[in-house]
């Protein structure tokens, strides 16, 4: 009986904690968990994709299966997760900011322009601005993740015949941050941010647009089904990524250009870099790793949206329209004079 009472009291305490959380905090937690889970699941494909985009000669020629075998042979299974620490360190605050900012921008637009429609176009605009906001705050972590993933360093424990163990330029997240900052200051930590912003505005917007558009065609009784959320998220990620992938390739090559051989040329502006890659590497390079990215984006976006919705349900976040009404009501009540002074 005492044990049951303690469990009941624990439940009541936890319920009180959830109920006492501000709405923004709930959205930040839900978004952070969603991003961390999704990114970890697809980390191996992300590593191979980055190597395809940046180490063209070494990995593209041997294909996806060959690249996987090479990583296992030279670095072991943990090689698939090289740079994943930085990736998760980036994606948790990024996803938290992205989802929270999306909800905030959406509410702000509705409050500022009350006559605006509540359809997918609203999600397109809110998602685009949310993506840009999240990128600006977390971009240095993305750059560090890419630099760490770019390194192919043979483990001394793996005595592979004929393998030359290359020098490890960066020995971890902090070391990479420190060396990049010493080399080029703040500008170095934001190298490649322009194509990131050009890409994230349409991608983030289209991702939310397609997700909400797909869900709007689902019968009400099936809207909370996990399979439905996964399918809608998959289509959203697939469509959004297709239109913006070349900018992702440009961004990756700009991020690691200081690690490339000196004869590769310096990539400066986004458009100049785009033209230079097409001229020197061919237009196909702009879509290098796209097939892998499809394999990665489909489960990543699907899992991200699904975990986000599940976490919102667990944290008892009200529906978007309910939250908007609640915020507007609270705002009106705050602005109204007290009855004692009337």
């Amino acid at each position: 009986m005492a044990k049951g009472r303690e469990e009941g009291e624990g439940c009541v305490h936890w319920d009180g904690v959830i109920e006492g959380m501000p709405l923004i905090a709930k959205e930040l937690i839900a978004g952070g968990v969603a991003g961390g889970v999704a990114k970890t699941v697809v980390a191996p494909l992300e590593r191979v994709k980055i190597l395809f985009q940046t180490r063209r000669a070494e990995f593209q020629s041997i294909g996806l299966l060959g690249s996987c075998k090479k990583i296992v042979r030279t670095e072991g299974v943990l090689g698939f997760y090289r740079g994943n620490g930085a990736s998760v360190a980036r994606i948790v605050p990024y996803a938290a900011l992205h989802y929270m900012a999306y909800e905030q921008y959406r509410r702000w637009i509705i409050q500022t322009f009350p006559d605006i429609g509540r359809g997918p176009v609203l999600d397109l605009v809110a998602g685009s601005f949310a993506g840009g906001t999240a990128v600006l705050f977390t971009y240095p972590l993305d750059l560090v993740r890419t630099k760490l993933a770019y390194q192919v360093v043979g483990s001394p424990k793996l005595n592979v015949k004929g393998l030359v163990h290359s020098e490890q330029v960066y020995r971890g997240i902090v070391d990479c941050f420190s060396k990049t900052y010493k080399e080029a200051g703040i500008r170095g930590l934001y190298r490649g941010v322009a194509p990131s912003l050009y890409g994230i505005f349409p991608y983030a917007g289209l991702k939310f647009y397609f997700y909400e558009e797909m869900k709007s065609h689902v019968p009400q009784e099936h809207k909370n089904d996990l399979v439905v959320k996964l399918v809608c998220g998959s289509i959203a990620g697939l469509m959004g990524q297709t239109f913006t992938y070349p900018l992702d390739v440009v961004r990756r090559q700009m991020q690691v250009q200081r690690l490339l051989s000196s004869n590769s040329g310096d990539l400066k502006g986004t458009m100049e870099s785009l033209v230079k890659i097409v001229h020197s590497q061919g237009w196909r390079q702009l879509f290098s790793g796209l097939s892998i990215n499809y394999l990665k984006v489909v489960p990543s976006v699907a899992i991200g949206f699904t975990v986000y919705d599940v976490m919102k349900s667990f944290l008892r976040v009200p529906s978007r329209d309910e939250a908007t009404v609640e915020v507007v009501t609270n705002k009106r009540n705050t602005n109204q004079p007290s009855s004692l002074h009337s």
Side-chain angles (χ1 to χ4, degrees):
M1 287 291 288
K3 186 179 179 182
R5 196 183 310 112
E6 284 174 9
E7 288 177 355
E9 287 173 358
C11 256
V12 171
H13 175 68
W14 181 242
D15 288 346
V17 170
I18 291 177
E19 292 300 329
M21 273 187 197
L23 181 60
I24 288 178
K26 291 180 181 180
E27 290 168 351
L28 281 169
I29 292 170
V33 172
V37 171
K39 184 59 71 175
T40 301
V41 169
V42 300
L45 287 169
E46 178 74 7
R47 175 82 202 283
V48 176
K49 186 199 78 169
I50 289 174
L51 292 172
F52 262 52
Q53 291 177 326
T54 56
R55 287 182 176 268
R56 180 171 175 254
E58 294 174 59
F59 286 88
Q60 276 193 36
S61 59
I62 57 178
L64 174 58
L65 188 59
S67 297
C68 291
K69 287 180 179 177
K70 181 171 182 175
I71 290 171
V72 171
R73 189 176 70 253
T74 59
E75 303 176 76
V77 175
L78 290 180
F80 286 112
Y81 290 88
R82 181 176 294 281
N84 189 55
S87 184
V88 171
R90 165 194 167 263
I91 202 64
V92 169
Y94 172 84
L97 277 170
H98 193 174
Y99 285 106
M100 183 275 290
Y102 161 71
E103 305 286 3
Q104 292 295 315
Y105 279 126
R106 193 177 184 278
R107 284 194 283 270
W108 178 81
I109 292 169
I110 291 171
Q111 291 169 38
T112 309
F113 308 99
D115 295 330
I116 197 168
R118 304 290 178 91
V121 174
L122 173 62
D123 299 298
L124 175 69
V125 175
S128 296
F129 281 104
T133 301
V135 162
L136 285 174
F137 277 97
T138 61
Y139 184 79
L141 283 165
D142 181 55
L143 180 129
V144 168
R145 183 274 303 267
T146 301
K147 285 190 171 187
L148 290 173
Y150 172 80
Q151 294 182 142
V152 179
V153 184
S155 170
K157 294 180 182 178
L158 297 170
N159 296 316
V160 181
K161 188 177 180 180
L163 174 67
V164 178
H165 297 292
S166 57
E167 181 186 355
Q168 188 168 0
V169 181
Y170 304 114
R171 302 188 180 280
I173 298 172
V174 176
D175 183 53
C176 188
F177 258 114
S178 176
K179 287 181 178 176
T180 303
Y181 183 76
K182 285 177 182 176
E183 286 171 7
I186 293 294
R187 178 173 289 188
L189 291 173
Y190 277 87
R191 181 178 295 277
V193 72
S196 262
L197 288 172
Y198 296 153
I200 198 63
F201 267 93
Y203 173 63
L206 287 169
K207 186 173 71 172
F208 279 103
Y209 173 88
F210 285 120
Y211 183 64
E212 296 301 329
E213 176 66 20
M214 293 295 106
K215 278 173 59 177
S216 69
H217 295 289
V218 176
Q220 189 62 40
E221 62 271 19
H222 295 296
K223 282 189 185 292
N224 291 323
D225 292 356
L226 285 180
V227 174
V228 170
K229 291 179 189 295
L230 286 168
V231 171
C232 291
S234 299
I235 296 171
L238 200 66
M239 298 296 287
Q241 188 65 205
T242 302
F243 292 107
T244 59
Y245 190 77
L247 289 167
D248 189 47
V249 175
V250 172
R251 171 172 60 113
R252 297 297 184 200
Q253 293 209 11
M254 288 179 76
Q255 287 175 337
V256 302
Q257 67 175 336
R258 289 185 180 276
L259 301 176
L260 295 169
S261 57
S262 56
N263 62 357
S264 60
D266 194 25
L267 301 176
K268 295 178 181 177
T270 302
M271 288 310 298
E272 181 185 340
S273 300
L274 200 65
V275 172
K276 199 161 197 172
I277 289 171
V278 171
H279 184 261
S280 62
Q281 303 173 32
W283 66 268
R284 290 178 184 273
Q285 178 62 19
L286 293 177
F287 295 91
S288 175
L290 180 58
S291 57
I292 300 174
N293 213 47
Y294 281 150
L295 293 176
K296 183 206 79 165
V297 163
V298 168
S300 178
V301 176
I303 292 168
F305 273 127
T306 303
V307 173
Y308 180 62
D309 281 347
V310 169
M311 284 299 297
K312 283 205 305 179
S313 176
F314 174 73
L315 294 170
R316 294 168 204 164
V317 175
S319 70
R320 292 191 177 108
D321 289 334
E322 286 174 358
T324 301
V325 170
E326 184 181 330
V327 170
V328 172
T329 304
N330 290 339
K331 189 175 178 182
R332 283 174 181 167
N333 290 340
T334 303
N335 293 334
Q336 283 177 355
S338 172
S339 58
L340 293 174
H341 296 90
S342 59

